[in-house]
């Protein structure tokens, strides 16, 4: 569990096959301190004993994913998180009771198919149960430094009677925005009736700013229960290759190991995002879909 703690919070995965690892693990586990300090000591001792760093904060810093800044209206949600050319990012969404952790799992080259494992936490979503039960379900998303990058908020409060027949609707705001001023960066709406045969095809649409702008920046389709959510630029291009996908990997050995460590849910959610796509916006929409 302590090894998982180091990997999750510190973004460092240590190679346990080295001889000195047994000693440094024993020292780390024997620390009569809080778990966080024990994990830090374990990480440092592991490096001093020659344990190999397979991934870590250095990778996130090189990708400029350590300290993030939000974009403005008409720009990507987080400009630094737009996937570079020829690359494919794979993220892991880990659910907790009041948090959702977004971890960059790997980066794959679309041409050479070479894949590099990163395994670093990029963003953390914080939510309040009181806001979810009685208010707008406000959720704040912070980067690795703890700074709020953007905010997700339901368009209507939970007990609004319009919710019975209305669409599921969220808005995405910059952290310093006054919600009453209407300065939404994006609006995410679910089509309540769905499409396709027997209306079983789930459809979401992402608008720039408010819906009345008419500018669609993403169109999401799920063809039925258990099927992946596929992202497209708009409805007209929904018959082509998706620009991003979200799917659930059930009961894998790695997922269950993470669940035992207390950091992950038993249902592993993966998100694959292709080049030139705003990964922060895709992850925000994936979180909204899972919270709805």
């Amino acid at each position: 569990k302590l090894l998982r703690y180091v990997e999750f919070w510190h973004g460092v995965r240590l190679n346990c096959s080295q001889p000195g690892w047994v000693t440094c693990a024993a020292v780390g586990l024997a620390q009569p301190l809080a778990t966080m300090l024990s994990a830090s000591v374990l990480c440092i001792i592991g490096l001093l004993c020659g344990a190999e760093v397979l991934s870590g904060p250095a990778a996130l810093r090189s990708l400029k994913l350590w300290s993030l800044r939000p974009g403005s209206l008409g720009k990507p949600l987080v400009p630094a998180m737009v996937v570079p050319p020829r690359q494919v990012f794979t993220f892991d969404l880990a659910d907790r009771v009041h948090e959702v952790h977004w971890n960059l799992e790997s980066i794959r080259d679309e041409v050479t198919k070479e894949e590099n494992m990163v395994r670093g936490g990029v963003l953390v979503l914080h939510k309040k149960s009181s806001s979810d039960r009685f208010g707008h379900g406000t959720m704040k998303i912070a980067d690795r430094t703890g700074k709020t990058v953007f905010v997700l908020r339901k368009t209507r409060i939970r007990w609004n009677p319009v919710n019975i027949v209305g669409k599921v609707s969220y808005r995405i705001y910059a952290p310093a925005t006054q919600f009453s001023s209407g300065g939404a960066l994006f609006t995410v709406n679910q089509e309540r009736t769905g499409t396709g045969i027997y209306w079983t095809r789930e459809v979401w649409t992402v608008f720039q700013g408010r819906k009345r702008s008419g500018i669609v920046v993403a169109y999401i389709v799920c063809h039925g229960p258990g099927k992946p959510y596929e992202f497209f630029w708009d409805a007209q291009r929904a018959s082509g290759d998706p620009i991003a996908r979200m799917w659930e990997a059930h009961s894998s050995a790695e997922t269950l190991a993470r669940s035992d460590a207390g950091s992950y849910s038993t249902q592993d959610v993966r998100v694959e995002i292709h080049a030139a796509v705003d990964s922060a916006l895709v992850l925000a929409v994936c979180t909204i879909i899972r919270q709805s």
Side-chain angles (χ1 to χ4, degrees):
K1 290 186 177 181
L2 199 58
L3 299 181
R4 290 294 180 185
Y5 191 94
V6 170
E7 182 179 338
F8 187 82
W9 287 107
H10 294 260
V12 176
R13 183 189 298 180
L14 300 173
N15 188 347
C16 302
S17 62
Q18 305 233 356
W21 181 253
V22 176
T23 303
C24 70
V27 173
L29 290 171
Q31 292 294 321
L33 302 174
T35 305
M36 183 179 295
L37 183 56
S38 298
S40 301
V41 172
L42 173 60
C43 182
I44 294 172
I45 296 177
L47 294 176
L48 293 177
C49 291
E52 179 186 0
V53 179
L54 302 181
S55 59
L60 296 180
R61 287 194 175 97
S62 67
L63 294 168
K64 299 180 180 180
L65 298 179
W66 188 263
S67 179
L68 301 171
R69 301 181 64 180
S72 56
L73 184 63
K75 303 293 183 181
L77 180 57
V78 179
M81 292 187 66
V82 175
V83 181
R86 292 181 45 180
Q87 293 185 355
V88 178
F89 284 6
T90 300
F91 286 86
D92 176 279
L93 272 66
D95 287 333
R96 285 186 165 187
V97 178
H98 299 298
E99 294 179 343
V100 178
H101 294 264
W102 299 345
N103 311 299
L104 179 57
E105 287 282 307
S106 64
I107 300 175
R108 187 178 76 248
D109 191 299
E110 285 189 306
V111 178
T112 64
K113 306 303 180 182
E114 180 183 356
E115 187 171 20
N116 297 319
M117 303 304 295
V118 179
R119 284 310 306 273
V122 178
L123 294 171
V124 180
L125 180 148
H126 302 279
K127 51 187 177 181
K128 293 183 178 180
S129 57
S130 59
S131 178
D132 186 49
R133 293 172 183 171
F134 306 107
H136 286 267
T138 302
M139 298 175 282
K140 296 182 178 180
I141 290 80
D143 61 14
R144 288 293 296 266
T145 66
K147 177 184 64 180
T148 300
V149 183
F150 56 91
V151 178
L152 308 180
R153 194 170 189 261
K154 292 179 182 177
T155 304
R156 299 177 294 271
I157 64 173
R158 183 180 180 88
W159 299 106
N160 190 323
V162 178
N163 292 327
I164 300 174
V165 294
K167 302 176 181 179
V168 176
S169 179
Y170 280 78
R171 289 180 184 146
I172 305 176
Y173 297 89
T177 304
Q178 295 293 330
F179 301 134
S180 58
S181 65
L185 299 177
F186 298 95
T187 298
V188 183
N189 289 343
Q190 179 191 19
E191 300 298 332
R192 177 66 76 177
T193 57
T195 60
I197 301 176
Y198 304 115
W199 300 279
T200 57
R201 185 183 301 161
E202 187 177 341
V203 176
W204 294 75
T205 307
V206 183
F207 298 92
Q208 179 181 300
R210 303 283 288 271
K211 180 183 177 181
R212 60 171 173 259
S213 71
I215 303 175
V216 176
V217 296
Y219 181 80
I220 303 96
V221 178
C222 178
H223 293 277
K227 301 292 185 180
Y229 286 84
E230 297 181 332
F231 289 69
F232 303 91
W233 292 116
D234 51 43
Q236 287 69 34
R237 285 180 274 188
S239 58
D241 295 329
I243 59 176
R245 295 170 65 247
M246 177 181 72
W247 72 96
E248 295 179 349
H250 298 277
S251 302
S252 66
E254 184 180 5
T255 303
L256 294 176
R258 295 174 187 172
S259 177
D260 291 340
S263 296
Y264 296 80
S265 65
T266 56
Q267 203 171 52
D268 201 20
V269 178
R270 296 296 177 92
V271 181
E272 184 181 80
I273 307 172
H274 291 262
V277 179
D278 182 4
S279 63
L281 180 59
V282 172
L283 293 173
V285 175
C286 290
T287 302
I288 289 172
I289 291 174
R290 289 182 54 78
Q291 297 295 320
S292 302

